[in-house]
């Protein structure tokens, strides 16, 4: 079967986001069928059989997650749609929401029918004002056309959808942080278990799914689990949005089958490394993933292949760095991010991210010591797996891999009095306050 | 501050609608703060107190929430809040030069507001627009794929806009 784009095939058409355009192209047919013809359990089994894996970062099998929600409960159940998209290097959900908002809404209807949910909240990051307006307009249209609300699409099913804007905090992308934020609190993650499927939003069973995950559902119903399972590798199939940014000629979002090779993605789709330069490093799955050296980039972009290569697909945010990049500066930039975004509840994370930033900083400004490289690894060992949420791991993975795979950059910065950028800006430097980006 | 703060009737309607969308009152806090932000222009202590009273939730909780998030408009921010993304993908494509250019043009460093009160410069984290790096978010709008000339033009455009507003 040839590959058909489901997210981006129409994005260059001016009215692609409108309801009439969407419906003209078969939109809401699968939602209608799911409401009228499908039994909830059959929907869950189909999504399981299709092997749909979460697109938010963790790659958890979607049907299996839905199956964890208790069937007989007096409590209401909720869907919390993760549209926080704050993983550095990731900009795919924004594209869906701006260009194809009804596809997301159709996916939401299918999920809610499958799990027996009557209220979905879409948690969108506060910065996405344009996307939020687009999405709110789509929701309003769907209500006025009887697609949402009571008797959705002429069925006896009721579904409310509420768009909820965040206010700037990376940690609200973590699922329990997002639920805290939705409840009107600081976005602090909560200990699991209980998992959200059992005790989530407002203490009720809650499905948390990423925007892109849900946007796959209409297609799965349309072509069937078996055909869907044949797109890309068996264990993590499907069409996928890959985000490529950094030092490439044509950064952008590319819709390709899961399992495309990283080299093809960079060289053919993103136009190759910019300015005719050589590749130095790639972070394949958002800044939380282990970095790959150029000689490690012959790898396929799917969950299993990247795990085998010691990194992860994560959010599929591919950040490309050319030969001029100093990995000390890259480390400092990434660690500043995680230190800033740590919510501060857990000591290993709060202190660890601070330490990592501090160490990267002193190496970058020429005050580093050779022992600092091992110190990074040591600090990382004390962070991974020891905290409430995975933000600590997300900081440690790039840190330990950058230091250990690019030791020559660190040695040079320690020996030469700082990173090349620092030396250039401070020719006669004796150290001091850095103004690194 | 002697002036008493109050939502307009339109804002109040929006707030009451919000309450119908959530099973708890507190869940409406973040969106209500958005309303307050657009009603009052900024979220300082009096505005936060107003929201706490309106929603009957402890002021400490409201302060805690507002200060946890970075995107609310705090008191003292200029008319145009130039938020330059400084995370990796933007840094790789010249975000540092963008910040420097703004500093040169406006004479303000990161976290500072220009004397005329028009501009505040901040560095922010990934705006989810890394393919069009470097990116500035100015108030609600994204300005993407910026060259240094684009930065100059943006500043000029905002100045013109402000000039028109006061004329
Ligand atoms: C620190 C951190 C940040 C995260 N940020 C996001 C995010 O911005 N968007 C997202 O969909 N998932 C994010 N996740 C993953 C979510 O916790 C969760 O796994 C996901 O939303 C589940 O949906 P899925 O199964 O459909 O992928 C983040 C996780 C962590 C630990
Ligand atoms: S790991 Fe970090 S971000 Fe996550 S809960 Fe702990 S302190 Fe907060
Ligand atoms: S790094 Fe600047 S928008 Fe993502």
């Amino acid at each position: 079967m040839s590959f058909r784009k489901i997210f981006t095939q129409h994005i260059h058409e001016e009215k692609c986001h409108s309801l009439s355009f969407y419906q003209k192209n078969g939109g809401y047919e699968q939602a209608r069928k799911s409401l009228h013809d499908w039994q909830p359990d059959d929907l869950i089994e189909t999504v399981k059989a299709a092997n749909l894996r979460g697109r938010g970062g963790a790659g958890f099998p979607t049907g299996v997650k839905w199956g964890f929600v208790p069937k007989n409960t007096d409590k209401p159940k909720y869907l919390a749609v993760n549209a926080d998209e704050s993983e550095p290097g990731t900009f795919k959900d924004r594209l869906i929401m701006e260009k194809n908002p009804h596809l997301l809404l159709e996916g939401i209807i299918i999920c809610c029918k499958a799990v027996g949910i009557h209220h979905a909240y879409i948690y969108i990051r506060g910065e996405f004002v344009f996307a939020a307006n687009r999405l709110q307009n789509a929701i309003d249209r769907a209500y006025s056309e009887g697609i949402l609300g009571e008797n959705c699409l002429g069925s006896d099913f009721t579904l409310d959808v509420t768009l909820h804007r965040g206010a700037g905090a990376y940690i609200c992308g973590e699922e329990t942080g997002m639920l805290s934020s939705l409840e009107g609190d600081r976005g602090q993650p909560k200990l699991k278990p209980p998992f959200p499927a059992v005790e989530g939003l407002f203490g009720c069973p809650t499905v948390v799914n990423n925007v892109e995950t849900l946007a796959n559902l209409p297609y799965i119903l349309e072509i069937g689990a078996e055909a869907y399972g044949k797109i890309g590798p068996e264990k993590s199939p499907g069409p996928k949005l890959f985000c490529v940014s950094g030092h490439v000629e044509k950064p952008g979002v590319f819709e390709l089958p899961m399992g495309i090779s990283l080299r093809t993605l960079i060289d053919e789709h993103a136009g190759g490394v910019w300015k005719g330069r050589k590749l130095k490093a790639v972070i394949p799955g958002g800044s939380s993933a282990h970095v790959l050296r150029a000689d490690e980039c012959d790898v396929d972009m799917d969950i299993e292949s990247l795990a085998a290569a010691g990194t992860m697909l994560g959010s599929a945010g591919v950040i490309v760095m050319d030969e001029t990049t100093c990995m000390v500066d890259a480390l400092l930039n990434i660690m500043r991010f995680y230190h800033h975004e740590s919510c501060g509840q857990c000591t290993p994370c709060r202190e660890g991210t601070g330490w990592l930033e501090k160490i990267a900083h002193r190496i970058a400004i020429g005050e580093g010591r050779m022992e600092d490289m091992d110190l990074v690894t040591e600090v990382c060992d004390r962070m991974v797996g020891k905290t409430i949420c995975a933000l600590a791991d997300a900081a440690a993975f790039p840190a330990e891999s950058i230091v250990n795979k690019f030791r020559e950059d660190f040695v040079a910065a320690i020996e030469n009095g700082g990173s090349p950028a620092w030396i250039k800006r401070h020719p006669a430097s004796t150290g001091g306050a850095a103004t690194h980006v | 501050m002697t002036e008493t703060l109050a939502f307009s009737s339109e804002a109040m309607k929006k707030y009451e609608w919000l309450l119908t969308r959530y099973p708890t009152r507190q869940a409406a806090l973040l969106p209500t703060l958005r309303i307050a932000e657009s009603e009052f222009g900024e979220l300082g202590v009096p505005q936060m107190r107003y929201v706490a009273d309106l929603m009957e939730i402890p002021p400490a909780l409201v302060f805690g929430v507002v200060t946890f998030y970075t995107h609310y408009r705090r008191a003292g921010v200029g008319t145009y809040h130039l938020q330059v993304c400084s995370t990796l993908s933007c840094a790789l494509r010249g975000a540092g030069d963008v910040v420097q250019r703004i500093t040169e043009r406006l004479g303000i460093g990161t976290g500072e507001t220009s004397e005329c009160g028009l501009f505040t410069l901040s560095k922010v984290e990934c705006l989810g627009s890394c393919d069009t790096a470097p990116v500035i978010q100015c108030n609600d709008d994204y300005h993407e794929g910026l060259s240094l000339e684009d930065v100059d033009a943006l500043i000029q455009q905002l100045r013109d806009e402000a000039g028109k507003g006061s004329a």
Side-chain angles (χ1 to χ4, degrees):
Chain A
M1 199 180 71
S2 69
F3 179 67
R4 195 178 106 202
K5 294 182 177 180
I6 63 166
F7 307 109
T8 58
Q9 98 207 88
H10 298 302
I11 55 170
H12 300 296
E13 314 231 13
E14 198 192 330
K15 292 277 171 209
C16 60
H17 59 280
S18 73
L19 178 60
S20 54
F21 186 96
Y22 187 65
Q23 284 182 309
K24 231 181 277 157
N25 289 283
Y28 286 114
E29 270 320 298
Q30 302 309 322
R32 190 184 305 275
K33 284 188 189 147
S34 74
L35 291 169
H36 289 274
D37 308 337
W38 284 81
Q39 291 304 314
D41 283 345
D42 295 338
L43 284 169
I44 297 180
E45 287 312 314
T46 298
V47 173
K48 273 188 200 165
N51 243 329
L52 173 62
R53 308 274 297 265
R55 306 298 200 233
F60 198 83
T62 305
V64 175
K65 188 190 281 188
W66 295 358
F68 291 152
V69 176
K71 297 234 178 319
N72 302 310
T73 163
D74 306 334
K75 292 181 178 172
K77 301 174 210 174
Y78 295 107
L79 169 64
V81 181
N82 196 336
D84 193 57
E85 187 143 273
S86 43
E87 176 73 18
T90 316
F91 38 94
K92 62 188 178 65
D93 298 337
R94 175 182 173 207
L95 185 81
I96 295 176
M97 293 185 285
E98 290 184 357
K99 302 284 188 184
N100 218 340
H102 288 286
L103 180 66
L104 172 59
L105 295 181
E106 182 165 14
I108 289 173
I109 296 173
I110 295 167
C111 167
C112 290
K113 164 73 187 212
V115 187
I117 290 168
H118 300 291
H119 203 142
Y121 292 93
I122 305 174
Y123 187 96
I124 186 171
R125 60 178 299 179
E127 292 84 348
F128 283 173
V129 180
F130 184 80
N133 289 338
R134 271 273 160 94
L135 202 47
Q136 187 61 56
N137 286 339
I139 293 169
D140 293 346
R141 279 284 284 160
Y143 266 102
S144 68
E145 295 298 318
I147 294 166
L148 293 176
E150 278 173 33
N151 303 112
C152 286
L153 290 161
S155 69
D156 53 9
F157 196 78
T158 299
L159 175 60
D160 281 309
V161 174
T162 301
L163 183 66
H164 185 98
R165 286 181 62 206
Y170 168 66
I171 197 56
C172 294
E174 196 281 335
E175 56 184 6
T176 57
M178 179 177 70
L179 297 179
S180 298
S181 183
L182 259 169
E183 288 166 354
D185 220 324
R186 301 150 66 100
Q188 283 176 325
K190 295 175 199 171
L191 260 182
K192 292 180 267 195
F195 286 92
V198 179
E199 204 180 308
L201 191 57
F202 309 117
C204 300
T206 302
V207 170
V208 180
N209 271 140
N210 169 262
V211 167
E212 187 189 352
T213 310
L214 293 163
N216 269 278
L217 297 171
Y219 191 51
I220 292 175
L221 298 195
E222 185 193 328
I223 65 168
E226 203 183 326
Y228 183 91
K230 292 200 178 112
I231 305 167
E234 194 190 336
K235 287 188 174 159
S236 53
K240 179 79 192 88
L241 294 175
F242 296 98
C243 318
V244 186
S245 65
H247 293 155
V248 289
E249 286 292 346
K250 288 190 299 178
V253 183
F254 304 97
E255 180 173 1
L256 295 160
M258 195 73 105
I260 185 90
S261 96
L262 176 56
R263 291 260 181 214
T264 308
L265 179 63
I266 295 173
D267 291 339
E268 285 172 30
H269 297 278
V273 179
W274 73 349
K275 303 180 180 177
R277 291 187 190 152
K278 284 208 208 81
L279 183 65
K280 178 161 186 174
V282 177
I283 302 185
S287 69
S288 306
H290 286 88
V291 70
L292 294 171
R293 279 194 321 256
D295 61 5
E296 296 173 312
C297 286
D298 290 306
V299 61
D300 292 343
M301 294 292 291
D302 61 77
I303 296 172
E304 275 68 33
S305 305
L306 284 162
T311 181
M312 63 179 186
L313 178 66
S315 61
V318 178
I319 305 173
V320 176
M321 290 168 263
D322 73 17
E323 57 188 327
T324 68
T325 313
C326 170
M327 298 309 286
V328 177
D329 289 340
L331 178 72
L332 174 57
N333 186 291
I334 299 173
M335 291 310 117
R336 192 211 54 219
F337 173 83
Y338 287 103
H339 184 210
H340 181 252
E341 300 298 335
S342 166
C343 85
Q345 284 187 104
C346 322
T347 311
C349 175
R350 185 185 61 241
E351 301 298 322
T353 52
W355 268 96
L356 291 174
E357 184 189 358
K358 206 187 286 176
I359 298 166
H361 182 244
R362 74 178 178 223
I363 298 175
I365 65 165
E367 293 176 0
R369 304 161 221 158
M370 287 298 169
E371 310 86 84
D372 282 346
M373 288 180 281
D374 292 337
L375 187 56
V376 166
T377 311
E378 222 173 276
V379 172
C380 291
D381 285 346
R382 290 188 197 161
M383 294 167 71
V384 174
K386 297 187 172 60
T387 52
I388 293 176
C389 88
L391 185 139
D393 304 21
F397 292 162
E400 62 187 12
S401 57
I402 287 175
V403 170
N404 290 317
K405 291 185 184 185
F406 295 93
R407 279 185 102 81
E408 62 280 8
D409 282 18
F410 287 81
V411 171
I414 293 166
E415 286 180 345
N416 302 343
S419 74
W422 169 260
I423 294 171
K424 200 170 145 205
R425 260 180 286 165
H426 303 84
S429 168
T430 49
T435 51
H436 277 258
V437 172
Chain B
M1 199 135 163
T2 46
E3 191 186 337
T4 40
L5 293 166
F7 275 3
S8 63
S9 64
E10 202 182 312
M12 202 50 111
K13 238 188 260 157
K14 256 195 249 166
Y15 166 65
E16 272 155 17
W17 177 81
L18 275 178
L19 292 182
T20 68
R21 304 302 291 182
Y22 303 92
T24 68
R25 184 183 287 261
Q26 193 186 328
L29 176 57
L30 268 73
T32 304
L33 288 167
R34 288 283 180 196
I35 300 178
E37 190 180 43
S38 74
E39 283 284 289
F40 307 137
E42 62 181 29
L43 290 177
V45 174
Q47 292 80 7
M48 291 192 268
R49 257 187 207 291
Y50 174 79
V51 170
D53 286 347
L54 174 74
M55 298 188 74
E56 295 168 25
I57 50 184
L61 200 150
V62 176
F63 299 165
V65 165
V66 171
T67 50
F68 183 84
Y69 300 94
T70 55
H71 202 241
Y72 288 118
R73 247 183 120 72
R74 310 270 177 76
V77 171
T79 314
Y80 300 111
H81 192 183
L82 299 172
Q83 301 160 88
V84 185
C85 174
S86 299
T87 310
L88 189 57
S89 301
C90 283
L92 292 171
R93 295 182 81 103
D97 297 335
V98 169
V99 171
Q100 204 184 334
R101 184 69 150 220
I102 297 174
T103 296
E104 280 164 20
R105 290 288 184 260
L106 300 176
I108 48 173
T110 318
E112 293 175 1
T113 300
S114 59
E115 252 170 52
C116 57
L118 220 46
F119 299 102
T120 298
L121 173 61
S122 299
K123 285 191 203 171
V124 295
E125 301 298 350
C126 181
L127 290 166
S129 188
C130 329
D131 52 340
T132 55
V135 186
I136 294 179
Q137 179 167 33
C138 174
N139 299 353
D140 281 352
D141 299 326
Y142 277 34
H143 301 270
E144 307 173 35
L146 297 167
S147 66
L148 295 180
E149 292 69 40
D150 294 337
V151 173
D152 292 346
L154 173 65
I155 291 172
Q156 192 54 47
Q157 180 203 324
L158 296 172
R159 279 202 171 116
D160 292 348
E161 207 177 281
K164 258 180 234 145
S166 63

